[in-house]
Amino acid sequence: MTPFRPGLLQGQVALVTGGGSGIGAGIALRLAEHGAVVGLVGRTQSKLDDTAARIRSVGGQAHAFALDVRDYDALSGAVAELVERAGKLTLLVCSAAGNFLSPAATLSAGGFKAVIDIDLLGTFNACRASFEALSKQGGAVLSITATQAFVPTPLQCHAGAAKAAIQKLTQDLALEWGSVKIRVNALAPGPIDATEGMRRLAPPGADERAKLERALPAGRFGTVDEIADMALFLLSPAAGFITGTTLVADGGQSLLGGSRLLELMGG
């Protein structure tokens, strides 16, 4: 068995959407630590610059592209520019997302559409814009989804619809693109500490946080580093025979069901 080691992704070039913060930034840093040249996509230049600086501090190479993943032409331009700078594109991580809590009965059409467009359309845009470059030598795509894709969850119909569609998109692209040696997988994190998602969806109080952690079968929240390691595996040669799969990394959260989790969160 080949162990993980620095240089595991030597010669690889990755584009990471949502790479300015949270899970996307953590994955980008891990890929760079293992030798990949990384292109970062996000809406906020300062966040991208911060992540790029972290990558360079460990000896990695990073290129930042401030844009909205809902803009296909802008994404296509970023892919072309990254290929021009780095010579190719071999890895794609679709991590850009938006979410908030809302009862379906009061959720506006605009709010629903915003999450669908950022999560689902943004994922498709990144995949479609990257296809030509990836197909030249083969590569791997990883989309970050969530357990709302398959666990009915109150206050999350918009995010659940988007994530479920991403999971299906993952399967369809894996089937269609396997012939040009592109693997397509997804990763569904659960409660991950120190992320914007947890700050928005989980209660801030120490007592409530401890209650939620204790209720998880794993007894704690996950970390960005753990998700980054799982992404590294799925994008690496170690996962060369895996495609069309969604890896769930939620500490057993989905075993509780959505209603129980909402109760624990104070909903």
Side-chain angles (χ1 to χ4, degrees), residues 10-210:
Q10 199 67 43
Q12 304 294 309
V13 179
L15 184 70
V16 181
T17 71
S21 61
I23 288 173
I27 292 174
L29 180 60
R30 185 67 83 252
L31 301 186
E33 288 172 341
H34 285 261
V37 176
V38 179
L40 303 166
V41 167
R43 286 186 287 181
T44 306
Q45 186 69 55
S46 60
K47 291 183 178 180
L48 296 174
D49 291 342
D50 287 346
T51 303
R54 290 174 61 198
I55 288 173
R56 292 172 186 137
S57 74
V58 298
Q61 298 181 53
H63 307 279
F65 305 95
L67 58 88
D68 192 318
V69 293
R70 292 171 286 189
D71 186 339
Y72 178 80
D73 290 338
L75 259 176
S76 294
V79 169
E81 187 171 345
L82 180 60
V83 170
E84 183 177 355
R85 294 183 187 181
K88 60 185 175 181
L89 177 66
T90 59
L91 306 172
L92 171 65
V93 179
C94 303
S95 183
N99 197 7
F100 52 90
L101 293 173
S102 177
T106 59
L107 177 64
S108 70
F112 187 91
K113 183 177 186 298
V115 171
I116 294 293
D117 284 355
I118 295 169
D119 289 35
L120 176 57
L121 179 61
T123 295
F124 174 79
N125 282 347
C127 291
R128 181 63 186 87
S130 301
F131 173 75
E132 183 177 354
L134 290 171
S135 66
K136 289 182 178 179
Q137 69 286 301
V141 175
L142 180 65
S143 295
I144 305 302
T145 178
T147 55
Q148 291 97 315
F150 52 89
V151 177
T153 308
L155 311 183
Q156 287 284 274
C157 74
H158 46 326
K163 298 304 188 184
I166 291 171
Q167 187 167 328
K168 180 60 165 56
L169 179 66
T170 294
Q171 295 173 322
D172 290 347
L173 295 184
L175 185 63
E176 289 193 30
W177 293 359
S179 61
V180 289
K181 302 187 186 314
I182 299 174
R183 296 187 301 108
V184 187
N185 291 296
L187 176 57
I192 304 302
D193 204 8
T195 62
E196 181 63 25
M198 284 305 294
R199 283 189 287 271
R200 290 190 179 200
L201 301 179
D207 291 343
E208 291 85 354
R209 173 192 168 94

